[in-house]
Structures are given as structure tokens and as C-alpha cells.
Amino acid sequence: MTINSINFLLFFAAVFAIYYFALKEKTKAQNLLLLAASYLFYGIINIKMVPLLFAATLAFWLLGFAINKANESSEKRAFALTAFGVALGVGVLVYFKYFNWFIESIIDFSRAIGLEANIHTLDILVPIGVSFFTFKLISYAIEIHRRKLTPTTDFVAFATYIAFFPTIMAGPIDRPNGFLPQLAAKRQFDYALAVDGCRQILWGMFKKMVIADNLAAYIDASWSSIGDTTGANLLFVALLYPVQLYADFSGYSDMAIGTSKLLGFRVTRNFNYPFFGRNIAEFWRNWHMSLTGWLTDYVFMPLNIAFRNAGKLGTIVAVTITFVLIGLWHGASLAYGLFGLYHGLLYIPMILMGTMGKKRKYGTSVLGLPSLRDFAGMAMTFALVAFSLVIFRAGSVEVAWEFLQGAVSSPAGFFDSRRFDLAGTYQIRLKIAVVLAIAMFIAEWYTRHYEYVIANLGFLRSGAARMALYFFLLVVICTGKYADAGKIFIYQQF
Amino acid sequence: MKQFIIKLGIFAALVLTVNMLLFVAVYRANYSNLYRNDFEGEKFSSFLLGSSDAESMGNIMEEYGIYNYGAARKQSYQNMQDKLEYMLFNKIAIDTIYLSISDYAISVLHDASPDRAYDMRIRKNYSNSFEYINDRYIKYFAVLMNSYALAGTAILYRGTVLQSPPPRRFSEWSDEEQILAVESAANWYSARSKDMTQALVNILEICQENNITVIGLKYPYATRSVEMLDRHGGDDIMKQYGVRILDYRKLFVGHDDYFNDQVHMNQEGKQEFVKVFAKDIERFRDEGYIK
């Protein structure tokens, strides 16, 4: 059951009705309903993983009290307990996501040096959303240790925070400091927030189902026939993939945030128009913000402080480690590690020049468009990101290398029309997606001060006009979407 | 809350109204002319299943006791399986199935665009009721959410609205037009789909279980298609099941005047083809291979 499916719509309608009509203003009962709905939602995806989610939640809830108590008596003990919590969270992540990779790496290494390792990989099923809920658990322990949060005595509220169904599959990764107080507060139906949520869901569906999925058809087909397609086509695919990934993940995030708003929750923002970033630092400040913010607070800042005596070199090391972790967070493979390392290295010139954290206003030219200098910066950043996403999309160094070799093939083969041209098969969908993606970026530029493109419809004074716009968008989604079933969200696999 | 519910209700009513209008259009285009409604008094026991190659044959084979069930523009092996199972579910006695060997019917293109035979879905083929209800009722009735049905319907109506000129014979096409057309046909088949391959296997197994004879059919190609399209759909799978194959691809080499395009015959071509086909059917009957 994905968040953009009919099944989810029916499921959510039932939750919404009970939440506001039957349990009106009964906060505890509402939380219990959200918890039950979240576990049901998670159980429908994979019932076997529910005990793990529950056990991890219970363990961290109890750990929170222990850390808080130790904070009063012994800093060492509090630190040790927090470290245990971090190790436990990371351990869960490592076991499910990285264990087999470690074993395979040991086997490969042993073979390379002529030995036969007598170890085997395990048949491990990776729980959906494990990378997201373990980060929530870890942040709960750390925030208590930092004395920025007192442990909640309300287990239902805590478990709801961890398993909150709109965000459990692929985030955003909310911090306990922002979310738990919302669970404790009385929640009445907020008309403005609900309308805002509906609009955001609609906009998210448009990005995911019309732009991302239509691009995916062409991109997936090209990736599965690297040897049969031209270099020009592969370069085009490399430039399209960042757009697909952005439309897919930010579309999902909009739907998750919008759904949360309908239930009266304000969830942390995940994207802030990252492709308007004029350098890699601006890009990462606005891309998957809940993850980068998490790693900045819990990894980069402590490392930067620890290495502060080493000056700029210390910052370079801290940034590089953080980005390698960002890469590896996506999965256990050398490719993801290299993806992170590449981005870490791109920061070095900015660190050396002291421009990493600087914020600069956009210069505008005719019709409010970005200035040439800013546009050049955006284009350069986009190209650098697109290059790195080749290895990200490939998932392995070998496949990425094959792709890059194909993309820079000999001039004769570069535009060879005799080679299989996928554009023929997916021509209409590709054209629709590219035109709409360009329209999306233009609309985003002019509305970049808002959370999403159709957040502010103040210029449409009549309610009928707004409804006509919603209906038009819905028709575009329904008629332009890729398939009946829809494709899964890319970040669901992480 | 009241205001929100009222506005949501108005919006839902608007969506439902448009959906209802679209449903009428989709129904007329996709479902109303299906054979399933009456099975023509069950007078046929041989059926033609296939993609556009079979569909374009119209009712020309009825004279030989074969009902064209390739109608209603269903073009994947999954769809053919649905039709076969639907007929068996309705207790239609089937002796012989003439099954297209089609690159297109087995292509991955159908993975993204499942066919439109939602009205033929049978509960026993689903592991749970949710999936069955989703396929049989939601996709069938909620056409606004079914982009494939909408796109298919738009294509069908476009021909009526735009009143396109009658097709030219393929022999009248320029070299460049012919090459482009055949290259385009090559793109209909980008790779073999696992699901469609499984559907073909299912068809063959269902036929074995029900003592239905299967005959594989490769329809004639225009000359340039014979030269440039060297693909074989699922004939390797059919051979594993001992299916006899009638390969007519080269039947009309040099006779491009029998074709409307690179692979579809015109009326004249169909009449010539049926004469040859009838002789082969007669031979199979004489051999006792079919009834």
C-alpha cells in the first residue's frame, strides 16, 4: 500500500473520519488510533517486521528514562547509555542493511588472496523504513542526553512518533523535540491547515505520478539496455535522472507532509528547491533536509568540534566522513560510499576559500529570472550532481563504469541512429514528462519563497477558480500518470 | 470542518460526474463489443486469440467456424489468458485455440500498461479480495484513474473524430516511410516480459488441462518487414508444449499491395490469406489434429 494508492486513500479516509468525528479532541484516544493505524499500515506492508518495530520502540523508550536519570547522577553513565542507544540503533541498521554486504566483502577478499572463507550470507529481509525509524530512535536518545528533551512517559505518543504512518516508509525524519509536543497537544480540525495539506498532496502526486514515473519509464529502459543505446541517449538519461529522483522523492515528501497536515501535524520540510543551489553546499542545504540536518547535528558538528584544532583540514575530514555516511545510509555498496565521498570532496574548494556556509541573495534579470551568474552556478551544480547520480543509480561501480563508457562512446556511435533508440518507444511519455518538468522548475522559481508551488493561491480570489485548478491538476495526474498500478517510490527501498 | 466536508463533497461530485461521462466513453470503446456477453449462442468452438494481427482479421474466419476473440483491442498474452479463463468460467466448450505468436503480445510494454479486460477478472486468480476488487471494480469503474483505458479510448475516438483518410496500400508507401514504419514496429518489442511470458505458459497449461488444441499463428508480413523483423515472439515456449505452428510470415513477399501497413493486411490480403489458411485447417482436420 503506497501513499498514492486507492487503498491508502480508503485507509486514510477511515482514519480521518474516526480521528475527527468519533475521537474529537480526545488527544490520548486520537494518539491510540494513530498508533493502531500506523502499525496496521506497517503490518500490511510486512507483518513480520511489526515485532521488530515494537521491540526497538520499547527499548528506546525505556532507555530514554535511563539516560535522563543518569544525566542527573553521572555524565559518564549517561554518555555510556547514549552510546549504547546509538550502537543499538546503528546495530539494527547494520544487521538488516549491511550484514550481508560485510560477509560478501569478506568472502570476496578471501578469494582474492587465495583463501576460501567458510562463512555465508543470511536470508535477511530488510524492513521497510528501517533507515528512517532508527534515526528517529537515535535522535530521541541523543536529545535526552543533550538535555534538550525530557523523556515522555506516554508510550503511546512515543510509539506513534516512531511509527507515524505518513512518514514511516521514507521520511521526512522528524525530530522528537518538534513532534512529541504536537502529540501531547489538543488537536482540533484546522481548516486552513487541512486545505494546505490537500494542496500539497495534489502537488506531490503531480510530481511523482506524472513527472517522475513517466521519466522512469524511459530512464529504466535505457539503463537496462546500456549496450544497445547511443552515447547521446545515455548522456540525456544521466541529465534526466536527477529530475526523476527529485520529482519522486520530493513528491513523496509533499504527500507525506500533506497527509500529516490533514491530521493536524506539521512535519519537517524535506526539500527547498535544491536545484536552485548555485554550489554543492547550497544544493545539500536544500536536498533531503531532514537527513542532512540529522547528520549535521549528530555527526558533522561533533566531528567538527573534535577536529577544531586541525583548522580547515579538520572541517574537510568532518565533511568527508559525514558525506560518506550519507552515501552509505542509502545502502551497503561501494557505489553509495563513493557517491558520498565524491560530494564530500566537492566541498573542499569551498572550505579552503571559506565560502561553505555563506548565503548570498539571488540576482535577478528580466522577468524575475535568475541572473546569468546564478544560472551558470545552478547549471554547474546540476551537472555535478547528475554525474554523481550515475553511480547512485547504477548501484555498483561496474555498472556505473559501463554506463559512463557508453556515454562517451566514439563519435561514430554517439548519435548512431541504427542503434536501438528508446525514444521511439517512450516518445510521448518522455515528451510529456520533459515539458512538464521544465514547467515545474519555472513555476518553482517564481514560487520559491513558499513551501511548494501551489501553496499560495491568493491570486485566485474565487473559490470556484481554485476548485477548477485542483480539478485540472487532478485530471492532468489521472491522464498523464504512467501506469495504473504506479511505481514504488525510489526512497522506499532505503 | 463542515465547510471542509462540503467543499470536499462538491469536488468529489465533480470528479464522479466527469468519471461517469468518461466511463460511458471507455465502455463503448473497450467493452461493449466484446463477445463475452452472449458467446453467439455457443455455436463456435474454435477461437482466434491474438493482438492487433488477429484483431484486424475481423469476422472473416467465422465462415470456417472460428470466432475472432482478438477483438476489442486486447493485445497482451495476459489478456488472452483472461479471455480463455473467462470462456472456461462461462462453460464454453472450446476445441481449438489459434494463438498469435506475437512479439508485441509478449513485450515488456505490457508490464506498464496492463490491458483493459478488467471486466473479465475472476476471483480465483487473486490471492486476496482487495486485489480482486481493485482490478475488477475500481480499475473498471474509476476510469479517471485508469490512464491506460483513457489513452486507449482517446486513440480509438481520434480516428472517428478526425476522420482519417482511408489507409494506403503499403506498396504505395515511399522507401523512407516503409523503413520508418518497420523500425517503429521493431520498437514495439523492446524486451520479453516475465509476466507476459508466464501468461503464455499459463495459456498453454490451461489448454493442456482442458484438452484444447493450440495452433500457433504467425501472420503474413510485408516484404520489408520480413527482411527487417526477425523476431519470434514466444514460439520457443510453444514448441516446448508441442504446439504446431503455422508460419505465414513470408506468404506475401512481393505482394505489399495486400497490406495496409508493415504488418497488417488489407481486405484483399485477408481474403487471400484466409484461402491459404483454410486449406491448412482442412489438412489438420484430415489428420485428426483438430476437430
mmCIF file of all heavy atoms in Angstrom, chain A residues 139-181:
data_model
loop_
_atom_site.group_PDB
_atom_site.id
_atom_site.type_symbol
_atom_site.label_atom_id
_atom_site.label_comp_id
_atom_site.label_asym_id
_atom_site.label_seq_id
_atom_site.Cartn_x
_atom_site.Cartn_y
_atom_site.Cartn_z
ATOM 1 N N SER A 139 17.905 9.766 17.553
ATOM 2 C CA SER A 139 17.835 11.199 17.899
ATOM 3 C C SER A 139 17.123 11.389 19.236
ATOM 4 O O SER A 139 17.451 12.299 20.003
ATOM 5 C CB SER A 139 17.172 12.011 16.787
ATOM 6 O OG SER A 139 15.824 11.702 16.682
ATOM 7 N N TYR A 140 16.164 10.513 19.558
ATOM 8 C CA TYR A 140 15.471 10.598 20.853
ATOM 9 C C TYR A 140 16.480 10.423 21.997
ATOM 10 O O TYR A 140 16.502 11.215 22.961
ATOM 11 C CB TYR A 140 14.385 9.518 20.910
ATOM 12 C CG TYR A 140 13.584 9.497 22.193
ATOM 13 C CD1 TYR A 140 12.668 10.504 22.481
ATOM 14 C CD2 TYR A 140 13.722 8.455 23.115
ATOM 15 C CE1 TYR A 140 11.925 10.477 23.658
ATOM 16 C CE2 TYR A 140 12.982 8.418 24.287
ATOM 17 C CZ TYR A 140 12.086 9.435 24.554
ATOM 18 O OH TYR A 140 11.349 9.410 25.714
ATOM 19 N N ALA A 141 17.334 9.401 21.879
ATOM 20 C CA ALA A 141 18.329 9.143 22.928
ATOM 21 C C ALA A 141 19.310 10.313 23.046
ATOM 22 O O ALA A 141 19.632 10.776 24.149
ATOM 23 C CB ALA A 141 19.075 7.840 22.619
ATOM 24 N N ILE A 142 19.783 10.797 21.903
ATOM 25 C CA ILE A 142 20.786 11.884 21.928
ATOM 26 C C ILE A 142 20.193 13.177 22.497
ATOM 27 O O ILE A 142 20.831 13.870 23.306
ATOM 28 C CB ILE A 142 21.356 12.129 20.506
ATOM 29 C CG1 ILE A 142 22.131 10.895 20.026
ATOM 30 C CG2 ILE A 142 22.282 13.341 20.488
ATOM 31 C CD1 ILE A 142 22.642 10.981 18.596
ATOM 32 N N GLU A 143 18.981 13.486 22.083
ATOM 33 C CA GLU A 143 18.365 14.737 22.550
ATOM 34 C C GLU A 143 18.151 14.714 24.067
ATOM 35 O O GLU A 143 18.278 15.741 24.736
ATOM 36 C CB GLU A 143 17.029 14.986 21.838
ATOM 37 C CG GLU A 143 17.169 15.310 20.355
ATOM 38 C CD GLU A 143 17.971 16.574 20.081
ATOM 39 O OE1 GLU A 143 17.683 17.603 20.684
ATOM 40 O OE2 GLU A 143 18.917 16.498 19.265
ATOM 41 N N ILE A 144 17.814 13.522 24.609
ATOM 42 C CA ILE A 144 17.660 13.425 26.071
ATOM 43 C C ILE A 144 19.023 13.613 26.735
ATOM 44 O O ILE A 144 19.159 14.343 27.718
ATOM 45 C CB ILE A 144 17.016 12.075 26.471
ATOM 46 C CG1 ILE A 144 15.559 12.050 25.995
ATOM 47 C CG2 ILE A 144 17.096 11.850 27.981
ATOM 48 C CD1 ILE A 144 14.866 10.715 26.151
ATOM 49 N N HIS A 145 20.032 12.983 26.154
ATOM 50 C CA HIS A 145 21.374 13.127 26.724
ATOM 51 C C HIS A 145 21.839 14.578 26.671
ATOM 52 O O HIS A 145 22.494 15.090 27.590
ATOM 53 C CB HIS A 145 22.361 12.215 25.963
ATOM 54 C CG HIS A 145 23.759 12.351 26.459
ATOM 55 N ND1 HIS A 145 24.810 12.686 25.637
ATOM 56 C CD2 HIS A 145 24.285 12.236 27.711
ATOM 57 C CE1 HIS A 145 25.928 12.768 26.345
ATOM 58 N NE2 HIS A 145 25.637 12.484 27.618
ATOM 59 N N ARG A 146 21.470 15.283 25.617
ATOM 60 C CA ARG A 146 21.851 16.693 25.485
ATOM 61 C C ARG A 146 20.966 17.612 26.336
ATOM 62 O O ARG A 146 21.069 18.835 26.260
ATOM 63 C CB ARG A 146 21.763 17.129 24.019
ATOM 64 C CG ARG A 146 22.854 16.530 23.147
ATOM 65 C CD ARG A 146 22.677 17.000 21.698
ATOM 66 N NE ARG A 146 23.798 16.584 20.872
ATOM 67 C CZ ARG A 146 23.915 16.877 19.578
ATOM 68 N NH1 ARG A 146 22.977 17.585 18.979
ATOM 69 N NH2 ARG A 146 24.950 16.475 18.898
ATOM 70 N N ARG A 147 20.055 17.007 27.043
ATOM 71 C CA ARG A 147 19.129 17.739 27.939
ATOM 72 C C ARG A 147 18.213 18.711 27.178
ATOM 73 O O ARG A 147 17.756 19.708 27.706
ATOM 74 C CB ARG A 147 19.905 18.504 29.018
ATOM 75 C CG ARG A 147 20.644 17.598 29.981
ATOM 76 C CD ARG A 147 21.307 18.413 31.078
ATOM 77 N NE ARG A 147 21.828 17.573 32.132
ATOM 78 C CZ ARG A 147 23.012 16.968 32.100
ATOM 79 N NH1 ARG A 147 23.781 17.110 31.037
ATOM 80 N NH2 ARG A 147 23.423 16.220 33.101
ATOM 81 N N LYS A 148 17.997 18.405 25.905
ATOM 82 C CA LYS A 148 17.086 19.245 25.111
ATOM 83 C C LYS A 148 15.685 18.657 25.115
ATOM 84 O O LYS A 148 14.761 19.236 24.530
ATOM 85 C CB LYS A 148 17.584 19.354 23.661
ATOM 86 C CG LYS A 148 18.824 20.207 23.516
ATOM 87 C CD LYS A 148 19.230 20.305 22.065
ATOM 88 C CE LYS A 148 20.465 21.162 21.894
ATOM 89 N NZ LYS A 148 20.980 21.095 20.510
ATOM 90 N N LEU A 149 15.566 17.495 25.731
ATOM 91 C CA LEU A 149 14.277 16.806 25.723
ATOM 92 C C LEU A 149 14.143 16.004 27.010
ATOM 93 O O LEU A 149 15.112 15.381 27.453
ATOM 94 C CB LEU A 149 14.243 15.853 24.512
ATOM 95 C CG LEU A 149 12.971 15.085 24.228
ATOM 96 C CD1 LEU A 149 11.920 16.022 23.622
ATOM 97 C CD2 LEU A 149 13.241 13.962 23.205
ATOM 98 N N THR A 150 12.964 16.011 27.582
ATOM 99 C CA THR A 150 12.723 15.120 28.716
ATOM 100 C C THR A 150 11.965 13.897 28.193
ATOM 101 O O THR A 150 11.102 14.047 27.313
ATOM 102 C CB THR A 150 11.882 15.803 29.813
ATOM 103 O OG1 THR A 150 10.764 16.418 29.187
ATOM 104 C CG2 THR A 150 12.686 16.822 30.585
ATOM 105 N N PRO A 151 12.304 12.727 28.704
ATOM 106 C CA PRO A 151 11.654 11.530 28.154
ATOM 107 C C PRO A 151 10.144 11.576 28.383
ATOM 108 O O PRO A 151 9.692 12.032 29.426
ATOM 109 C CB PRO A 151 12.304 10.381 28.919
ATOM 110 C CG PRO A 151 12.935 10.981 30.106
ATOM 111 C CD PRO A 151 13.228 12.399 29.789
ATOM 112 N N THR A 152 9.418 11.111 27.398
ATOM 113 C CA THR A 152 7.967 11.125 27.536
ATOM 114 C C THR A 152 7.506 9.885 28.320
ATOM 115 O O THR A 152 8.029 8.779 28.110
ATOM 116 C CB THR A 152 7.261 11.175 26.165
ATOM 117 O OG1 THR A 152 5.866 11.086 26.365
ATOM 118 C CG2 THR A 152 7.706 10.053 25.237
ATOM 119 N N THR A 153 6.557 10.097 29.217
ATOM 120 C CA THR A 153 6.018 8.953 29.962
ATOM 121 C C THR A 153 4.897 8.283 29.172
ATOM 122 O O THR A 153 4.429 7.210 29.533
ATOM 123 C CB THR A 153 5.454 9.422 31.319
ATOM 124 O OG1 THR A 153 4.562 10.506 31.070
ATOM 125 C CG2 THR A 153 6.570 9.861 32.255
ATOM 126 N N ASP A 154 4.502 8.944 28.099
ATOM 127 C CA ASP A 154 3.384 8.444 27.304
ATOM 128 C C ASP A 154 3.927 7.525 26.194
ATOM 129 O O ASP A 154 4.376 8.002 25.139
ATOM 130 C CB ASP A 154 2.639 9.645 26.703
ATOM 131 C CG ASP A 154 1.383 9.225 25.956
ATOM 132 O OD1 ASP A 154 1.237 8.026 25.678
ATOM 133 O OD2 ASP A 154 0.571 10.117 25.639
ATOM 134 N N PHE A 155 3.881 6.214 26.460
ATOM 135 C CA PHE A 155 4.439 5.266 25.488
ATOM 136 C C PHE A 155 3.687 5.333 24.162
ATOM 137 O O PHE A 155 4.291 5.235 23.087
ATOM 138 C CB PHE A 155 4.391 3.835 26.044
ATOM 139 C CG PHE A 155 4.913 2.828 25.044
ATOM 140 C CD1 PHE A 155 6.268 2.738 24.755
ATOM 141 C CD2 PHE A 155 4.041 1.983 24.364
ATOM 142 C CE1 PHE A 155 6.750 1.834 23.816
ATOM 143 C CE2 PHE A 155 4.511 1.077 23.428
ATOM 144 C CZ PHE A 155 5.876 1.004 23.158
ATOM 145 N N VAL A 156 2.384 5.513 24.245
ATOM 146 C CA VAL A 156 1.585 5.555 23.011
ATOM 147 C C VAL A 156 2.048 6.721 22.124
ATOM 148 O O VAL A 156 2.242 6.567 20.917
ATOM 149 C CB VAL A 156 0.075 5.674 23.336
ATOM 150 C CG1 VAL A 156 -0.740 5.922 22.072
ATOM 151 C CG2 VAL A 156 -0.414 4.404 24.022
ATOM 152 N N ALA A 157 2.270 7.870 22.763
ATOM 153 C CA ALA A 157 2.722 9.031 21.993
ATOM 154 C C ALA A 157 4.089 8.765 21.371
ATOM 155 O O ALA A 157 4.324 9.077 20.199
ATOM 156 C CB ALA A 157 2.776 10.261 22.891
ATOM 157 N N PHE A 158 4.987 8.160 22.177
ATOM 158 C CA PHE A 158 6.334 7.888 21.669
ATOM 159 C C PHE A 158 6.279 6.893 20.503
ATOM 160 O O PHE A 158 6.916 7.107 19.449
ATOM 161 C CB PHE A 158 7.220 7.348 22.794
ATOM 162 C CG PHE A 158 8.607 7.003 22.324
ATOM 163 C CD1 PHE A 158 9.482 8.006 21.907
ATOM 164 C CD2 PHE A 158 9.028 5.690 22.271
ATOM 165 C CE1 PHE A 158 10.750 7.695 21.449
ATOM 166 C CE2 PHE A 158 10.301 5.371 21.821
ATOM 167 C CZ PHE A 158 11.165 6.376 21.413
ATOM 168 N N ALA A 159 5.513 5.827 20.686
ATOM 169 C CA ALA A 159 5.411 4.812 19.634
ATOM 170 C C ALA A 159 4.754 5.388 18.378
ATOM 171 O O ALA A 159 5.100 5.018 17.249
ATOM 172 C CB ALA A 159 4.612 3.608 20.148
ATOM 173 N N THR A 160 3.835 6.335 18.579
ATOM 174 C CA THR A 160 3.189 6.981 17.426
ATOM 175 C C THR A 160 4.197 7.839 16.675
ATOM 176 O O THR A 160 4.218 7.853 15.441
ATOM 177 C CB THR A 160 2.000 7.849 17.891
ATOM 178 O OG1 THR A 160 1.124 7.030 18.666
ATOM 179 C CG2 THR A 160 1.241 8.433 16.712
ATOM 180 N N TYR A 161 5.040 8.527 17.429
ATOM 181 C CA TYR A 161 6.092 9.348 16.795
ATOM 182 C C TYR A 161 6.991 8.466 15.915
ATOM 183 O O TYR A 161 7.298 8.819 14.772
ATOM 184 C CB TYR A 161 6.907 10.067 17.875
ATOM 185 C CG TYR A 161 8.300 10.475 17.456
ATOM 186 C CD1 TYR A 161 8.506 11.376 16.418
ATOM 187 C CD2 TYR A 161 9.424 9.943 18.112
ATOM 188 C CE1 TYR A 161 9.791 11.733 16.037
ATOM 189 C CE2 TYR A 161 10.704 10.295 17.732
ATOM 190 C CZ TYR A 161 10.887 11.186 16.686
ATOM 191 O OH TYR A 161 12.158 11.538 16.295
ATOM 192 N N ILE A 162 7.385 7.328 16.446
ATOM 193 C CA ILE A 162 8.302 6.462 15.690
ATOM 194 C C ILE A 162 7.607 5.846 14.463
ATOM 195 O O ILE A 162 8.193 5.777 13.380
ATOM 196 C CB ILE A 162 8.846 5.321 16.605
ATOM 197 C CG1 ILE A 162 9.624 5.902 17.792
ATOM 198 C CG2 ILE A 162 9.713 4.331 15.815
ATOM 199 C CD1 ILE A 162 10.850 6.717 17.428
ATOM 200 N N ALA A 163 6.363 5.419 14.642
ATOM 201 C CA ALA A 163 5.709 4.641 13.575
ATOM 202 C C ALA A 163 4.729 5.466 12.739
ATOM 203 O O ALA A 163 4.044 4.912 11.891
ATOM 204 C CB ALA A 163 4.971 3.449 14.201
ATOM 205 N N PHE A 164 4.681 6.753 12.958
ATOM 206 C CA PHE A 164 3.690 7.636 12.308
ATOM 207 C C PHE A 164 3.527 7.279 10.820
ATOM 208 O O PHE A 164 4.459 7.433 10.030
ATOM 209 C CB PHE A 164 4.148 9.076 12.480
ATOM 210 C CG PHE A 164 3.125 10.098 12.072
ATOM 211 C CD1 PHE A 164 1.835 10.063 12.584
ATOM 212 C CD2 PHE A 164 3.451 11.110 11.179
ATOM 213 C CE1 PHE A 164 0.895 11.024 12.211
ATOM 214 C CE2 PHE A 164 2.522 12.071 10.806
ATOM 215 C CZ PHE A 164 1.239 12.017 11.324
ATOM 216 N N PHE A 165 2.353 6.796 10.455
ATOM 217 C CA PHE A 165 2.230 6.137 9.144
ATOM 218 C C PHE A 165 2.493 7.019 7.918
ATOM 219 O O PHE A 165 3.008 6.519 6.924
ATOM 220 C CB PHE A 165 0.894 5.385 9.023
ATOM 221 C CG PHE A 165 -0.345 6.246 8.933
ATOM 222 C CD1 PHE A 165 -0.777 6.734 7.717
ATOM 223 C CD2 PHE A 165 -1.091 6.533 10.063
ATOM 224 C CE1 PHE A 165 -1.923 7.519 7.630
ATOM 225 C CE2 PHE A 165 -2.225 7.313 9.985
ATOM 226 C CZ PHE A 165 -2.650 7.810 8.776
ATOM 227 N N PRO A 166 2.203 8.321 7.944
ATOM 228 C CA PRO A 166 2.524 9.070 6.712
ATOM 229 C C PRO A 166 4.025 9.129 6.414
ATOM 230 O O PRO A 166 4.419 9.301 5.267
ATOM 231 C CB PRO A 166 1.977 10.471 7.000
ATOM 232 C CG PRO A 166 0.924 10.275 8.038
ATOM 233 C CD PRO A 166 1.453 9.152 8.894
ATOM 234 N N THR A 167 4.859 9.005 7.466
ATOM 235 C CA THR A 167 6.291 9.211 7.233
ATOM 236 C C THR A 167 7.150 7.977 7.473
ATOM 237 O O THR A 167 8.361 8.044 7.251
ATOM 238 C CB THR A 167 6.823 10.341 8.148
ATOM 239 O OG1 THR A 167 6.621 9.966 9.509
ATOM 240 C CG2 THR A 167 6.129 11.659 7.883
ATOM 241 N N ILE A 168 6.558 6.863 7.876
ATOM 242 C CA ILE A 168 7.423 5.731 8.256
ATOM 243 C C ILE A 168 8.154 5.110 7.063
ATOM 244 O O ILE A 168 9.275 4.616 7.198
ATOM 245 C CB ILE A 168 6.647 4.642 9.049
ATOM 246 C CG1 ILE A 168 7.668 3.684 9.675
ATOM 247 C CG2 ILE A 168 5.644 3.923 8.157
ATOM 248 C CD1 ILE A 168 7.116 2.737 10.685
ATOM 249 N N MET A 169 7.560 5.166 5.896
ATOM 250 C CA MET A 169 8.178 4.480 4.759
ATOM 251 C C MET A 169 9.422 5.188 4.244
ATOM 252 O O MET A 169 10.400 4.555 3.879
ATOM 253 C CB MET A 169 7.179 4.332 3.628
ATOM 254 C CG MET A 169 6.228 3.184 3.828
ATOM 255 S SD MET A 169 5.525 2.600 2.304
ATOM 256 C CE MET A 169 4.822 4.056 1.603
ATOM 257 N N ALA A 170 9.375 6.511 4.152
ATOM 258 C CA ALA A 170 10.516 7.215 3.550
ATOM 259 C C ALA A 170 10.673 8.633 4.093
ATOM 260 O O ALA A 170 11.117 9.520 3.387
ATOM 261 C CB ALA A 170 10.353 7.244 2.032
ATOM 262 N N GLY A 171 10.303 8.824 5.354
ATOM 263 C CA GLY A 171 10.520 10.116 5.989
ATOM 264 C C GLY A 171 9.452 11.133 5.630
ATOM 265 O O GLY A 171 8.400 10.759 5.114
ATOM 266 N N PRO A 172 9.669 12.402 5.900
ATOM 267 C CA PRO A 172 10.853 13.031 6.486
ATOM 268 C C PRO A 172 11.147 12.508 7.906
ATOM 269 O O PRO A 172 10.240 12.041 8.590
ATOM 270 C CB PRO A 172 10.484 14.517 6.534
ATOM 271 C CG PRO A 172 9.345 14.681 5.600
ATOM 272 C CD PRO A 172 8.646 13.400 5.569
ATOM 273 N N ILE A 173 12.435 12.615 8.292
ATOM 274 C CA ILE A 173 12.857 12.123 9.601
ATOM 275 C C ILE A 173 12.619 13.248 10.615
ATOM 276 O O ILE A 173 13.439 14.160 10.744
ATOM 277 C CB ILE A 173 14.350 11.713 9.576
ATOM 278 C CG1 ILE A 173 14.608 10.719 8.432
ATOM 279 C CG2 ILE A 173 14.770 11.126 10.919
ATOM 280 C CD1 ILE A 173 16.081 10.528 8.098
ATOM 281 N N ASP A 174 11.497 13.164 11.296
ATOM 282 C CA ASP A 174 11.165 14.215 12.262
ATOM 283 C C ASP A 174 11.955 14.052 13.547
ATOM 284 O O ASP A 174 12.252 12.936 13.967
ATOM 285 C CB ASP A 174 9.674 14.143 12.583
ATOM 286 C CG ASP A 174 8.933 15.241 11.877
ATOM 287 O OD1 ASP A 174 9.249 16.399 12.152
ATOM 288 O OD2 ASP A 174 8.086 14.920 11.033
ATOM 289 N N ARG A 175 12.265 15.180 14.186
ATOM 290 C CA ARG A 175 12.960 15.132 15.482
ATOM 291 C C ARG A 175 11.916 15.058 16.590
ATOM 292 O O ARG A 175 10.827 15.651 16.463
ATOM 293 C CB ARG A 175 13.807 16.381 15.689
ATOM 294 C CG ARG A 175 14.811 16.635 14.613
ATOM 295 C CD ARG A 175 15.927 15.602 14.610
ATOM 296 N NE ARG A 175 16.844 15.973 13.551
ATOM 297 C CZ ARG A 175 17.823 16.871 13.698
ATOM 298 N NH1 ARG A 175 18.038 17.437 14.870
ATOM 299 N NH2 ARG A 175 18.595 17.169 12.695
ATOM 300 N N PRO A 176 12.264 14.385 17.682
ATOM 301 C CA PRO A 176 11.286 14.237 18.767
ATOM 302 C C PRO A 176 10.897 15.582 19.385
ATOM 303 O O PRO A 176 9.746 15.773 19.773
ATOM 304 C CB PRO A 176 12.013 13.354 19.786
ATOM 305 C CG PRO A 176 13.460 13.461 19.450
ATOM 306 C CD PRO A 176 13.537 13.717 17.983
ATOM 307 N N ASN A 177 11.848 16.528 19.421
ATOM 308 C CA ASN A 177 11.575 17.835 20.049
ATOM 309 C C ASN A 177 10.426 18.565 19.357
ATOM 310 O O ASN A 177 9.679 19.290 19.989
ATOM 311 C CB ASN A 177 12.809 18.752 19.974
ATOM 312 C CG ASN A 177 14.086 18.003 20.176
ATOM 313 O OD1 ASN A 177 14.284 16.957 19.566
ATOM 314 N ND2 ASN A 177 14.960 18.504 21.029
ATOM 315 N N GLY A 178 10.315 18.355 18.045
ATOM 316 C CA GLY A 178 9.268 19.042 17.306
ATOM 317 C C GLY A 178 7.978 18.249 17.243
ATOM 318 O O GLY A 178 6.887 18.825 17.180
ATOM 319 N N PHE A 179 8.084 16.930 17.292
ATOM 320 C CA PHE A 179 6.896 16.107 17.037
ATOM 321 C C PHE A 179 6.151 15.698 18.314
ATOM 322 O O PHE A 179 4.918 15.714 18.359
ATOM 323 C CB PHE A 179 7.297 14.855 16.252
ATOM 324 C CG PHE A 179 6.158 14.250 15.490
ATOM 325 C CD1 PHE A 179 5.846 14.700 14.221
ATOM 326 C CD2 PHE A 179 5.375 13.246 16.038
ATOM 327 C CE1 PHE A 179 4.785 14.164 13.510
ATOM 328 C CE2 PHE A 179 4.310 12.701 15.346
ATOM 329 C CZ PHE A 179 4.014 13.162 14.071
ATOM 330 N N LEU A 180 6.914 15.325 19.352
ATOM 331 C CA LEU A 180 6.251 14.845 20.572
ATOM 332 C C LEU A 180 5.335 15.904 21.206
ATOM 333 O O LEU A 180 4.225 15.570 21.636
ATOM 334 C CB LEU A 180 7.294 14.344 21.586
ATOM 335 C CG LEU A 180 7.931 12.988 21.231
ATOM 336 C CD1 LEU A 180 9.092 12.654 22.178
ATOM 337 C CD2 LEU A 180 6.900 11.864 21.281
ATOM 338 N N PRO A 181 5.756 17.178 21.253
ATOM 339 C CA PRO A 181 4.823 18.181 21.803
ATOM 340 C C PRO A 181 3.522 18.267 21.004
ATOM 341 O O PRO A 181 2.460 18.540 21.563
ATOM 342 C CB PRO A 181 5.617 19.491 21.692
ATOM 343 C CG PRO A 181 7.038 19.068 21.679
ATOM 344 C CD PRO A 181 7.064 17.759 20.968
#
